[in-house]
Structures are given as structure tokens and as C-alpha cells.
Amino acid sequence: VIHRVRHIVEPQIPARGIELTCAISSDVRILADSDKVEQVLLNLLTNAVKFTAAGGRIEIRACSRNRYGEIAIVDSGCGIPAHQIETIFDPFVQLDKSHTRETSGVGLGLAISRELTRGMGGDIRVHSTVGVGSVFVVSLPLAEKAEMAPGRALRNTHTRA
């Protein structure tokens, strides 16, 4: 799923002068709807591209932690003020409401992403520092080894990160 999403946004990367890297652990297999995971990651990665200036960096990381697979989108973008962190997940919230803002959108991507992730038994966390960048972490339940055995997979529920 990560590679599919990466290929969708990759054409924008050279034009914006951003470096995109991936660090994906091969053992991350989550129990989730692959289409929904793809939508969540596409929303987060598209935002990272929009809010990262030329010369910036974006990294996609995936690993297992406890009983969850974690997929992080790390950017060196403008960052989010601490007092606005939780409001960014509210529908129609945009941090820059000026008429001269450089990014477009209606402010639904993060709200939808959080709802989709929570509906799959996970969540999204964010850590951000203004002027340094943001880290969005999607946590979703790991698939059990028995669930991953041949012949035991549920249709469209096991997603390899």
C-alpha cells in the first residue's frame, strides 16, 4: 500500500524540489481494509507535499510496535502550532484562512483519515513543531500470524504496509 501511494505522489516531488525516502520494515502486516489505508496515507502524504517547501524532506516509515503496525509520514514542512494540533482533525478546519494562502483544500482530509483509521481499530497521532515539521503516525492492529497463513486470509482485510 505504501508503494502504491508513493507512486501516486512521486510525480509531484521533483517539481516541488522535495526529497522523498522510505524506510519500511518487511514484517509489518496490518489487519485493515487496503483501500481505506491507501486513502488515509494518500491524504497524509499529499498534505506533507503541500506543506513542505522546496529543499525539504519527506520520509515514510513503517514498523511494528507492540500489537500495532505504525506508518509515519515525517516532513520538514512549516509545522503546526501546539494549540491547533487537535483542531486539525475537525471537519473544514484549515490553519491558514488568509486569502493569500498557497495551499488549497476544504479541510476534510484529516477528519476523514482519522475516522477511517479509528473505524479499523487504530488511530492517528501527530507531533509537530512550527518551523521544523510534522510527524503523522497511523497505528493499525497487526495481523496475527495465524491470520496470515495461506488459506486463512480474509478478503481485503490483510494489508501489507
mmCIF file of all heavy atoms in Angstrom, residues 91-119:
data_model
loop_
_atom_site.group_PDB
_atom_site.id
_atom_site.type_symbol
_atom_site.label_atom_id
_atom_site.label_comp_id
_atom_site.label_asym_id
_atom_site.label_seq_id
_atom_site.Cartn_x
_atom_site.Cartn_y
_atom_site.Cartn_z
ATOM 1 N N PRO A 91 -13.622 18.602 10.965
ATOM 2 C CA PRO A 91 -14.003 18.873 9.576
ATOM 3 C C PRO A 91 -13.950 20.366 9.248
ATOM 4 O O PRO A 91 -14.311 21.208 10.069
ATOM 5 C CB PRO A 91 -15.438 18.359 9.484
ATOM 6 C CG PRO A 91 -15.584 17.401 10.598
ATOM 7 C CD PRO A 91 -14.668 17.892 11.690
ATOM 8 N N PHE A 92 -13.485 20.669 8.054
ATOM 9 C CA PHE A 92 -13.436 22.009 7.481
ATOM 10 C C PHE A 92 -12.450 22.958 8.167
ATOM 11 O O PHE A 92 -12.486 24.150 7.925
ATOM 12 C CB PHE A 92 -14.835 22.648 7.429
ATOM 13 C CG PHE A 92 -15.837 21.810 6.711
ATOM 14 C CD1 PHE A 92 -16.844 21.157 7.397
ATOM 15 C CD2 PHE A 92 -15.746 21.633 5.332
ATOM 16 C CE1 PHE A 92 -17.764 20.361 6.738
ATOM 17 C CE2 PHE A 92 -16.674 20.840 4.664
ATOM 18 C CZ PHE A 92 -17.674 20.198 5.366
ATOM 19 N N VAL A 93 -11.562 22.415 9.004
ATOM 20 C CA VAL A 93 -10.563 23.262 9.652
ATOM 21 C C VAL A 93 -9.349 23.392 8.751
ATOM 22 O O VAL A 93 -8.816 22.408 8.250
ATOM 23 C CB VAL A 93 -10.146 22.692 11.028
ATOM 24 C CG1 VAL A 93 -8.910 23.404 11.555
ATOM 25 C CG2 VAL A 93 -11.297 22.816 12.010
ATOM 26 N N GLN A 94 -8.934 24.635 8.521
ATOM 27 C CA GLN A 94 -7.711 24.940 7.784
ATOM 28 C C GLN A 94 -6.950 25.958 8.605
ATOM 29 O O GLN A 94 -7.521 26.954 9.045
ATOM 30 C CB GLN A 94 -8.027 25.502 6.401
ATOM 31 C CG GLN A 94 -8.736 24.501 5.531
ATOM 32 C CD GLN A 94 -9.142 25.108 4.203
ATOM 33 O OE1 GLN A 94 -9.325 26.307 4.081
ATOM 34 N NE2 GLN A 94 -9.266 24.262 3.209
ATOM 35 N N LEU A 95 -5.672 25.708 8.809
ATOM 36 C CA LEU A 95 -4.890 26.598 9.654
ATOM 37 C C LEU A 95 -4.672 27.958 9.016
ATOM 38 O O LEU A 95 -4.716 28.970 9.681
ATOM 39 C CB LEU A 95 -3.547 25.951 9.999
ATOM 40 C CG LEU A 95 -3.647 24.640 10.783
ATOM 41 C CD1 LEU A 95 -2.267 24.137 11.142
ATOM 42 C CD2 LEU A 95 -4.495 24.831 12.032
ATOM 43 N N ASP A 96 -4.459 27.992 7.716
ATOM 44 C CA ASP A 96 -4.237 29.255 7.021
ATOM 45 C C ASP A 96 -5.524 29.638 6.309
ATOM 46 O O ASP A 96 -5.864 29.084 5.273
ATOM 47 C CB ASP A 96 -3.092 29.116 6.015
ATOM 48 C CG ASP A 96 -2.803 30.407 5.268
ATOM 49 O OD1 ASP A 96 -3.462 31.427 5.546
ATOM 50 O OD2 ASP A 96 -1.910 30.389 4.412
ATOM 51 N N LYS A 97 -6.244 30.596 6.861
ATOM 52 C CA LYS A 97 -7.519 31.012 6.269
ATOM 53 C C LYS A 97 -7.397 32.319 5.496
ATOM 54 O O LYS A 97 -8.387 32.909 5.104
ATOM 55 C CB LYS A 97 -8.575 31.154 7.367
ATOM 56 C CG LYS A 97 -8.889 29.828 8.028
ATOM 57 C CD LYS A 97 -9.918 29.979 9.106
ATOM 58 C CE LYS A 97 -10.172 28.627 9.728
ATOM 59 N NZ LYS A 97 -11.005 28.618 10.876
ATOM 60 N N SER A 98 -6.160 32.749 5.271
ATOM 61 C CA SER A 98 -5.964 34.020 4.564
ATOM 62 C C SER A 98 -6.295 33.867 3.085
ATOM 63 O O SER A 98 -6.294 32.769 2.537
ATOM 64 C CB SER A 98 -4.515 34.489 4.727
ATOM 65 O OG SER A 98 -3.647 33.632 4.011
ATOM 66 N N HIS A 99 -6.544 34.969 2.434
ATOM 67 C CA HIS A 99 -6.849 34.966 1.002
ATOM 68 C C HIS A 99 -5.609 34.699 0.155
ATOM 69 O O HIS A 99 -5.722 34.402 -1.022
ATOM 70 C CB HIS A 99 -7.489 36.292 0.580
ATOM 71 C CG HIS A 99 -8.814 36.525 1.228
ATOM 72 N ND1 HIS A 99 -9.916 35.749 0.955
ATOM 73 C CD2 HIS A 99 -9.201 37.421 2.167
ATOM 74 C CE1 HIS A 99 -10.937 36.173 1.685
ATOM 75 N NE2 HIS A 99 -10.532 37.179 2.438
ATOM 76 N N THR A 100 -4.439 34.824 0.762
ATOM 77 C CA THR A 100 -3.189 34.656 0.013
ATOM 78 C C THR A 100 -2.538 33.296 0.274
ATOM 79 O O THR A 100 -1.407 33.069 -0.121
ATOM 80 C CB THR A 100 -2.184 35.764 0.392
ATOM 81 O OG1 THR A 100 -1.920 35.686 1.800
ATOM 82 C CG2 THR A 100 -2.719 37.123 0.020
ATOM 83 N N ARG A 101 -3.237 32.400 0.915
ATOM 84 C CA ARG A 101 -2.629 31.105 1.233
ATOM 85 C C ARG A 101 -2.222 30.359 -0.031
ATOM 86 O O ARG A 101 -2.856 30.497 -1.083
ATOM 87 C CB ARG A 101 -3.556 30.254 2.094
ATOM 88 C CG ARG A 101 -4.757 29.727 1.370
ATOM 89 C CD ARG A 101 -5.664 29.018 2.340
ATOM 90 N NE ARG A 101 -6.773 28.473 1.590
ATOM 91 C CZ ARG A 101 -7.316 27.319 1.832
ATOM 92 N NH1 ARG A 101 -6.886 26.587 2.808
ATOM 93 N NH2 ARG A 101 -8.316 26.889 1.103
ATOM 94 N N GLU A 102 -1.159 29.568 0.109
ATOM 95 C CA GLU A 102 -0.596 28.887 -1.056
ATOM 96 C C GLU A 102 -1.142 27.484 -1.255
ATOM 97 O O GLU A 102 -0.947 26.890 -2.297
ATOM 98 C CB GLU A 102 0.926 28.840 -0.923
ATOM 99 C CG GLU A 102 1.558 30.213 -0.944
ATOM 100 C CD GLU A 102 3.061 30.162 -0.787
ATOM 101 O OE1 GLU A 102 3.644 29.081 -0.992
ATOM 102 O OE2 GLU A 102 3.645 31.194 -0.466
ATOM 103 N N THR A 103 -1.796 26.919 -0.258
ATOM 104 C CA THR A 103 -2.309 25.559 -0.373
ATOM 105 C C THR A 103 -3.821 25.586 -0.509
ATOM 106 O O THR A 103 -4.490 26.463 0.005
ATOM 107 C CB THR A 103 -1.918 24.720 0.860
ATOM 108 O OG1 THR A 103 -2.436 25.352 2.026
ATOM 109 C CG2 THR A 103 -0.417 24.591 0.964
ATOM 110 N N SER A 104 -4.341 24.581 -1.212
ATOM 111 C CA SER A 104 -5.780 24.533 -1.424
ATOM 112 C C SER A 104 -6.379 23.343 -0.687
ATOM 113 O O SER A 104 -5.671 22.480 -0.197
ATOM 114 C CB SER A 104 -6.077 24.411 -2.920
ATOM 115 O OG SER A 104 -5.528 23.210 -3.417
ATOM 116 N N GLY A 105 -7.668 23.287 -0.631
ATOM 117 C CA GLY A 105 -8.384 22.195 0.017
ATOM 118 C C GLY A 105 -9.499 22.758 0.873
ATOM 119 O O GLY A 105 -9.560 23.960 1.146
ATOM 120 N N VAL A 106 -10.386 21.852 1.309
ATOM 121 C CA VAL A 106 -11.512 22.286 2.119
ATOM 122 C C VAL A 106 -11.390 21.857 3.580
ATOM 123 O O VAL A 106 -12.233 22.193 4.394
ATOM 124 C CB VAL A 106 -12.859 21.773 1.543
ATOM 125 C CG1 VAL A 106 -13.145 22.405 0.207
ATOM 126 C CG2 VAL A 106 -12.887 20.267 1.465
ATOM 127 N N GLY A 107 -10.350 21.121 3.913
ATOM 128 C CA GLY A 107 -10.140 20.747 5.304
ATOM 129 C C GLY A 107 -10.875 19.501 5.744
ATOM 130 O O GLY A 107 -11.261 19.389 6.904
ATOM 131 N N LEU A 108 -11.070 18.558 4.843
ATOM 132 C CA LEU A 108 -11.739 17.304 5.208
ATOM 133 C C LEU A 108 -10.794 16.109 5.283
ATOM 134 O O LEU A 108 -11.124 15.106 5.909
ATOM 135 C CB LEU A 108 -12.859 16.989 4.207
ATOM 136 C CG LEU A 108 -14.092 17.859 4.312
ATOM 137 C CD1 LEU A 108 -15.054 17.540 3.171
ATOM 138 C CD2 LEU A 108 -14.770 17.665 5.647
ATOM 139 N N GLY A 109 -9.631 16.186 4.657
ATOM 140 C CA GLY A 109 -8.729 15.039 4.564
ATOM 141 C C GLY A 109 -8.336 14.440 5.896
ATOM 142 O O GLY A 109 -8.397 13.220 6.088
ATOM 143 N N LEU A 110 -7.940 15.268 6.854
ATOM 144 C CA LEU A 110 -7.514 14.744 8.156
ATOM 145 C C LEU A 110 -8.693 14.202 8.958
ATOM 146 O O LEU A 110 -8.571 13.194 9.645
ATOM 147 C CB LEU A 110 -6.757 15.807 8.951
ATOM 148 C CG LEU A 110 -5.388 16.179 8.398
ATOM 149 C CD1 LEU A 110 -4.772 17.306 9.202
ATOM 150 C CD2 LEU A 110 -4.459 14.977 8.363
ATOM 151 N N ALA A 111 -9.842 14.869 8.869
ATOM 152 C CA ALA A 111 -11.038 14.390 9.580
ATOM 153 C C ALA A 111 -11.450 13.019 9.050
ATOM 154 O O ALA A 111 -11.716 12.084 9.824
ATOM 155 C CB ALA A 111 -12.184 15.390 9.428
ATOM 156 N N ILE A 112 -11.473 12.883 7.741
ATOM 157 C CA ILE A 112 -11.823 11.596 7.128
ATOM 158 C C ILE A 112 -10.784 10.536 7.479
ATOM 159 O O ILE A 112 -11.133 9.400 7.827
ATOM 160 C CB ILE A 112 -11.971 11.752 5.601
ATOM 161 C CG1 ILE A 112 -13.208 12.586 5.280
ATOM 162 C CG2 ILE A 112 -12.019 10.394 4.908
ATOM 163 C CD1 ILE A 112 -13.301 13.031 3.835
ATOM 164 N N SER A 113 -9.513 10.901 7.409
ATOM 165 C CA SER A 113 -8.442 9.952 7.704
ATOM 166 C C SER A 113 -8.538 9.421 9.130
ATOM 167 O O SER A 113 -8.379 8.228 9.373
ATOM 168 C CB SER A 113 -7.075 10.599 7.486
ATOM 169 O OG SER A 113 -6.900 10.900 6.120
ATOM 170 N N ARG A 114 -8.803 10.310 10.083
ATOM 171 C CA ARG A 114 -8.921 9.852 11.474
ATOM 172 C C ARG A 114 -10.121 8.923 11.639
ATOM 173 O O ARG A 114 -10.038 7.899 12.306
ATOM 174 C CB ARG A 114 -9.023 11.037 12.427
ATOM 175 C CG ARG A 114 -9.112 10.574 13.882
ATOM 176 C CD ARG A 114 -9.014 11.698 14.861
ATOM 177 N NE ARG A 114 -7.667 11.695 15.420
ATOM 178 C CZ ARG A 114 -7.260 12.538 16.348
ATOM 179 N NH1 ARG A 114 -8.068 13.476 16.800
ATOM 180 N NH2 ARG A 114 -6.041 12.465 16.824
ATOM 181 N N GLU A 115 -11.251 9.275 11.034
ATOM 182 C CA GLU A 115 -12.439 8.419 11.145
ATOM 183 C C GLU A 115 -12.196 7.044 10.518
ATOM 184 O O GLU A 115 -12.583 6.021 11.085
ATOM 185 C CB GLU A 115 -13.655 9.101 10.508
ATOM 186 C CG GLU A 115 -14.208 10.239 11.321
ATOM 187 C CD GLU A 115 -14.612 9.825 12.728
ATOM 188 O OE1 GLU A 115 -15.329 8.812 12.887
ATOM 189 O OE2 GLU A 115 -14.195 10.510 13.685
ATOM 190 N N LEU A 116 -11.585 7.018 9.337
ATOM 191 C CA LEU A 116 -11.288 5.740 8.685
ATOM 192 C C LEU A 116 -10.359 4.889 9.551
ATOM 193 O O LEU A 116 -10.573 3.686 9.724
ATOM 194 C CB LEU A 116 -10.654 5.966 7.307
ATOM 195 C CG LEU A 116 -11.563 6.503 6.209
ATOM 196 C CD1 LEU A 116 -10.748 6.833 4.957
ATOM 197 C CD2 LEU A 116 -12.670 5.512 5.884
ATOM 198 N N THR A 117 -9.331 5.519 10.092
ATOM 199 C CA THR A 117 -8.359 4.791 10.908
ATOM 200 C C THR A 117 -9.004 4.259 12.177
ATOM 201 O O THR A 117 -8.795 3.100 12.543
ATOM 202 C CB THR A 117 -7.164 5.707 11.250
ATOM 203 O OG1 THR A 117 -6.606 6.197 10.024
ATOM 204 C CG2 THR A 117 -6.095 4.948 12.011
ATOM 205 N N ARG A 118 -9.795 5.071 12.838
ATOM 206 C CA ARG A 118 -10.470 4.608 14.061
ATOM 207 C C ARG A 118 -11.475 3.508 13.745
ATOM 208 O O ARG A 118 -11.659 2.586 14.538
ATOM 209 C CB ARG A 118 -11.138 5.782 14.766
ATOM 210 C CG ARG A 118 -10.130 6.673 15.460
ATOM 211 C CD ARG A 118 -10.761 7.833 16.171
ATOM 212 N NE ARG A 118 -9.768 8.549 16.965
ATOM 213 C CZ ARG A 118 -10.000 9.683 17.591
ATOM 214 N NH1 ARG A 118 -11.199 10.257 17.542
ATOM 215 N NH2 ARG A 118 -9.040 10.261 18.286
ATOM 216 N N GLY A 119 -12.120 3.584 12.588
ATOM 217 C CA GLY A 119 -13.056 2.542 12.183
ATOM 218 C C GLY A 119 -12.387 1.194 11.945
ATOM 219 O O GLY A 119 -13.037 0.152 11.987
#
